[in-house]
Amino acid sequence: YMALHRLSTLARDPQWDTLVLDTPPSKNVAALLRAPELLASLFEERILKLIGSQSRLLAAGIDKALQLLEHLTGAGFVRHLHDFVVSLNGVRDNFVASVEHLRLLLRSSEIAYVGVAAPTTSSLAELRALESTLQEHGRPLSGIVLNRCVSELRWEARPTAEFEGAHRWLSELQRREHEIEMQLSGRILAKFPERVRDIQGIPDLCELVKSVSGLTP
């Protein structure tokens, strides 16, 4: 809830032109798309309404009925749940309004869903799973960003005998990458090259942007 509330707050803030939400892997996208409906239904759950009742008489009456749940879920769980629901009821209107804003936002034309993956067979399968998940929720996959690409790597000179194996390995990787690019033809927004080390900050990001191939504005 806090993550979605933060997203809703940032989306309403005019100082931001674009928000990027990273949700790997694809199953997290499904959770994101379902979250508004699940959160909205929270207030309709009868058991939560019962737990959240601030009536001492009612609370005392359901304590025994919830003892089994307490044993199953661990000490203190029901009491913590009760405190949480009571607190949540205090901000119900704002909560529901925020959730509704998110529901509309996640399905609006302002949102683009982009797959990011390395050019490998397993990543291609992950992209297909992501697209299938989006289709189930009525959303298109807007494009694909390929990272860790090796197509631009070249040997400065003919490799010596000791590096022949590495040369063949690189050539095979480039061949597979080319095949995957052909399968994704017309859907690739940008290609990011393989790097020697991880991105550590703004300077590294700037260097990465300079090396991007086929970046779409």
Side-chain angles (χ1 to χ4, degrees), residues 109-131:
S109 58
E110 297 180 50
I111 298 291
Y113 294 89
V114 178
V116 181
T120 63
T121 302
S122 59
S123 294
L124 189 60
E126 183 74 15
L127 283 173
R128 287 170 177 160
L130 171 62
E131 185 166 28

Side-chain angles (χ1 to χ4, degrees), residues 181-208:
E181 283 190 56
M182 294 300 293
Q183 294 183 54
L184 301 175
S185 178
R187 309 183 68 187
I188 299 175
L189 302 176
K191 290 177 57 180
F192 288 80
E194 177 69 280
R195 292 176 55 84
V196 175
R197 65 189 183 93
D198 292 336
I199 302 296
Q200 300 293 333
I202 298 298
D204 285 345
L205 283 174
C206 292
E207 287 299 317
L208 182 63

